[in-house]
Amino acid sequence: MNSSGSPRAVRFAAALMALVTVVAGLLTFGTRNEASAASTVGGAITRAEIIARAKYWYDRGDTWYSQDQADAISDGTGGKYRPDCSGLVAMAWHLPKKSDGWDLNTGDFESYSHKSWLPSLHDLLPGDALLKNGHIELFEKWVDPKDHSAGAWVYSENTYGQKTNHNTNSWSEMTTYRGIRYDKVIEKSLDGGDFDGNGAGDIYATGTGTLTIWNGKGNNNFGTADPVGGGWEGFTRPAAGDFNKDGKTDLAAVKNGTLYVWNGKGGNKFGAADAVGSGWEPFTAPVAGDFNNDGISDLSAVKDGTLYIWNGKGGNHFTPADPVGGGWEPFTAPIAGDFNNDGKTDLAAVRDGNTLHIWNGKGSNKFGAADAIGSGWGDYHTTLMSLGDVNKDGHSDIAAVNKNTGTLYLWNGKGGNKFGPADALGGGWLPHF
């Protein structure tokens, strides 16, 4: 802690803890395993879904290059797209066809009304595209987020006799392109909080009775503590989401059985508390996610071992509770994020105070079987939290405070329910959680 009592705002040396990936189906929610498309043609789409759609073509292994629309290939969700460079980006962005039934070509992308030119290649984020005369590629991620000169990973369709490529471009090669962004990309995650709207997940806490926010700066760096306001004694830990669908992060918490929502105004500011409804006494603290993939934050909580979901309708309104499945008695209250980067909200929780499990979302409030990710969470499970995308690489990250040392650790998501090694962000965090 510094002299003001705020946790340190800079990164510390990485801790020697890593998650061990173990695939195991330990718990299922009935038979809810059907897949569903997260976006609609021409609609809003998350960066995670854009990358997942491109990866689907790469994984198919049969997306042979062709400039003939008659050779269009399935996108896995009911559509078909031409397997050339522009068709790949059109497919990944889930774009509609032109009036003649063909997908956009590179010339069309030059003048496309739903794209914007990026000021710099350094502004590229997962799901953006690289465009030059006659060719376009989909940007996945930087080889080294701290050193863009190391180049980037891209998906591309290049020439006849080749299938969808997933390879790295050197920086010198990238400088022959300009960056473009689809204007229907959902910039903010529906898990975690981004209260200043800069695209990086923030840390927030109310354990001291004061809502305090540490704004993310990217690359696991955070600003100094911002004490937003007091009066939070007696509330559950807030859930962060967009409950009124205005593009800003809101907070929801329960006190004395009543659910309240504070609508975000941007810049770490919030409106007055809105008492949404009562009857929340028996439930765990709610968490927010988009479990039915309609672009509006939902709430989930556990009661008597059963997981319930309330789907958001916008305007701080929710549907009646949907009892999704039982068997949650040995687990901590879940957190939400997109841990396998398919554009759908997943849940994660710790069983018996030791092993972290993930249930990948399938849309429509459905989930796959439990995936046992790794053990050793005994000192962390009571403060497990989802922070959204802290390092701005397109993956959901998680964090927790060590109950013995008070040190906050961050695990950056890698997709596929995998995480990087723990990054220690400093001590003195126990009072906040």
Side-chain angles (χ1 to χ4, degrees):
M1 301 285 285
N2 60 26
S3 59
S4 66
S6 300
R8 296 177 65 182
V10 297
R11 298 178 63 244
F12 288 76
L16 298 178
M17 176 176 179
L19 298 176
V20 179
T21 302
V22 182
V23 178
L26 299 180
L27 179 67
T28 61
F29 298 162
T31 59
R32 299 179 170 220
N33 294 313
E34 301 89 348
S36 64
S39 64
T40 58
V41 176
I45 187 170
T46 65
R47 294 189 179 280
E49 188 186 353
I50 291 173
I51 299 302
R53 288 173 65 84
K55 185 176 184 298
Y56 171 77
W57 258 22
Y58 176 75
D59 289 343
R60 280 181 62 107
D62 63 353
T63 53
W64 296 100
Y65 182 93
S66 173
Q67 294 183 357
D68 190 341
Q69 192 69 36
D71 293 329
I73 292 174
S74 171
D75 65 355
T77 62
K80 288 187 174 182
Y81 290 83
R82 188 181 63 247
D84 62 0
C85 64
S86 52
L88 168 65
V89 175
M91 183 278 297
W93 286 5
H94 213 171
L95 299 183
K97 300 286 189 283
K98 298 188 295 183
S99 59
D100 61 4
W102 281 60
D103 296 310
L104 271 64
N105 58 40
T106 52
D108 296 323
F109 274 104
E110 290 273 355
S111 57
Y112 188 48
S113 61
H114 288 293
K115 72 95 176 56
S116 59
W117 296 101
L118 298 179
S120 166
L121 291 176
H122 296 292
D123 296 312
L124 284 164
L125 294 174
D128 292 336
L130 294 159
L131 178 63
K132 65 180 179 181
N133 184 32
H135 193 58
I136 188 171
E137 299 186 343
L138 188 77
F139 176 86
E140 182 196 17
K141 61 183 178 181
W142 296 106
V143 171
D144 183 350
K146 299 179 182 178
D147 180 12
H148 294 176
S149 67
W153 282 93
V154 298
Y155 286 96
S156 62
E157 287 274 359
N158 295 324
T159 189
Y160 288 97
Q162 293 185 6
K163 298 174 285 188
T164 304
N165 290 284
H166 182 220
N167 57 275
T168 58
N169 282 354
S170 68
W171 176 254
S172 61
E173 183 177 2
M174 290 181 66
T175 59
T176 65
Y177 293 86
R178 293 180 66 187
I180 63 171
R181 179 165 297 163
Y182 184 35
D183 70 6
K184 294 188 179 182
V185 167
I186 299 173
E187 291 292 356
K188 61 187 294 298
S189 173
L190 293 177
D191 62 277
D194 179 16
F195 303 105
D196 59 354
N198 71 344
D202 306 325
I203 299 172
Y204 64 98
T206 58
T208 63
T210 296
L211 172 64
T212 306
I213 295 175
W214 296 261
N215 293 121
K217 303 299 183 183
N219 294 328
N220 295 359
N221 296 315
F222 295 86
T224 55
D226 181 6
V228 176
W232 285 84
E233 297 87 350
F235 284 94
T236 59
R237 170 171 166 77
D242 184 8
F243 305 113
N244 61 348
K245 204 176 180 182
D246 67 350
K248 299 181 176 66
T249 301
D250 312 319
L251 290 174
V254 174
K255 182 176 182 179
N256 297 330
T258 297
L259 175 70
Y260 295 84
V261 172
W262 295 259
N263 293 125
K265 303 298 183 183
N268 297 353
K269 296 179 173 61
F270 299 86
D274 180 6
V276 175
S278 59
W280 286 80
E281 297 91 339
F283 291 91
T284 58
V287 297
D290 184 13
F291 303 108
N292 61 348
N293 293 99
D294 66 353
I296 307 173
S297 290
D298 312 318
L299 290 174
S300 69
V302 175
K303 173 186 173 183
D304 298 329
T306 297
L307 176 73
Y308 293 82
I309 290 177
W310 296 259
N311 294 122
K313 294 299 182 183
N316 299 347
H317 299 298
F318 298 86
T319 62
D322 178 8
V324 176
W328 284 83
E329 293 87 347
F331 291 90
T332 57
I335 62 172
D338 182 12
F339 304 115
N340 63 346
N341 282 83
D342 66 351
K344 302 179 180 69
T345 301
D346 312 319
L347 290 173
V350 175
R351 179 178 179 132
D352 299 326
N354 183 46
T355 303
L356 179 68
H357 293 71
I358 289 177
W359 296 261
N360 293 125
K362 302 297 183 182
S364 302
N365 297 353
K366 299 176 176 66
F367 297 86
D371 184 2
I373 302 302
S375 59
W377 288 85
D379 292 337
Y380 304 90
H381 68 279
T382 58
T383 58
L384 186 66
M385 67 191 92
S386 176
L387 297 183
D389 184 9
V390 169
N391 58 348
K392 299 177 75 170
D393 67 349
H395 302 290
S396 291
D397 307 319
I398 61 176
V401 177
N402 185 298
K403 68 179 182 180
N404 298 314
T405 67
T407 299
L408 177 67
Y409 290 90
L410 174 67
W411 293 265
N412 293 123
K414 300 297 183 183
N417 296 349
K418 297 179 175 63
F419 297 86
D423 187 1
L425 299 184
W429 288 84
L430 278 178
H432 294 278
F433 294 95

